[in-house]
Amino acid sequence: MNTKSMQTPDVETNSRQLESNNSQIEALKQKMASSTNSVVLQNKVVPEAWWTTESAMTISAVVLVFGALVLAMASFLILKGRKAESVLRVFGTIMIIISAVFLVVAGYSSNQIAPVMGLLGTIAGYLLGKESSDTPGKNIHRDTERESAEKGTQT
């Protein structure tokens, strides 16, 4: 005998209903698995960041206060009668370093910092590369030209 013919309409309807329920259960399982993953990610213990906004603000303020102290010391030394050029070299270089550190600590991105770092580097190069008026050997070329001219006129 054919098993299909033996099945009553109720059994056939029940088996279709069972298949429909199974597909719905599978869909719910998939939906639950995806939502469980998101819940697990949300409840995942994330270690506390060591660099918070508050600590960045504190360190930035400390760097700026230190920069103000350096400027005050430079002003004091200039008022005391030290050569302004040598004071400018030392304290200008320190201020450039402080400015660069402040920009990094304040959290600016590398795209924002790059042009400013170029400018600070240019200023530092000017300050450190500029010859002072009392530097010995400043007029070496002129001195050698004078000596050779004097030798030529003496003979």
Side-chain angles (χ1 to χ4, degrees), residues 14-51:
N14 287 341
S15 67
R16 283 190 208 135
Q17 185 68 29
L18 184 61
E19 288 175 18
S20 170
N21 288 344
N22 283 340
S23 64
Q24 287 177 353
I25 288 172
E26 285 301 316
L28 287 173
K29 280 183 181 179
Q30 289 176 352
K31 186 176 180 181
M32 192 169 79
S34 67
S35 67
T36 304
N37 287 341
S38 65
V39 169
V40 168
L41 292 176
Q42 290 173 356
N43 291 334
K44 185 178 178 182
V45 177
V46 178
E48 187 176 322
W50 66 275
W51 190 255

Side-chain angles (χ1 to χ4, degrees), residues 72-101:
M73 288 171 49
S75 302
F76 175 73
L77 287 174
I78 290 172
L79 289 175
K80 286 278 273 186
R82 304 276 190 236
K83 288 186 178 181
E85 189 172 326
S86 42
V87 172
L88 177 67
R89 271 190 188 188
V90 172
F91 288 99
T93 305
I94 292 171
M95 287 305 298
I96 288 170
I97 293 169
I98 289 170
S99 302
V101 169

Side-chain angles (χ1 to χ4, degrees), residues 89-134:
R89 271 190 188 188
V90 172
F91 288 99
T93 305
I94 292 171
M95 287 305 298
I96 288 170
I97 293 169
I98 289 170
S99 302
V101 169
F102 172 75
L103 291 173
V104 171
V105 169
Y108 289 100
S109 71
S110 59
N111 290 339
Q112 294 169 321
I113 291 177
V116 177
M117 290 294 181
L119 180 62
L120 292 175
T122 303
I123 295 169
Y126 174 76
L127 286 176
L128 297 175
K130 189 174 95 171
E131 291 184 17
S132 63
S133 58
D134 62 341

Side-chain angles (χ1 to χ4, degrees), residues 2-18:
N2 192 353
T3 56
K4 222 174 193 187
S5 63
M6 289 178 69
Q7 292 179 346
T8 61
D10 290 335
V11 173
E12 213 171 284
T13 308
N14 287 341
S15 67
R16 283 190 208 135
Q17 185 68 29
L18 184 61

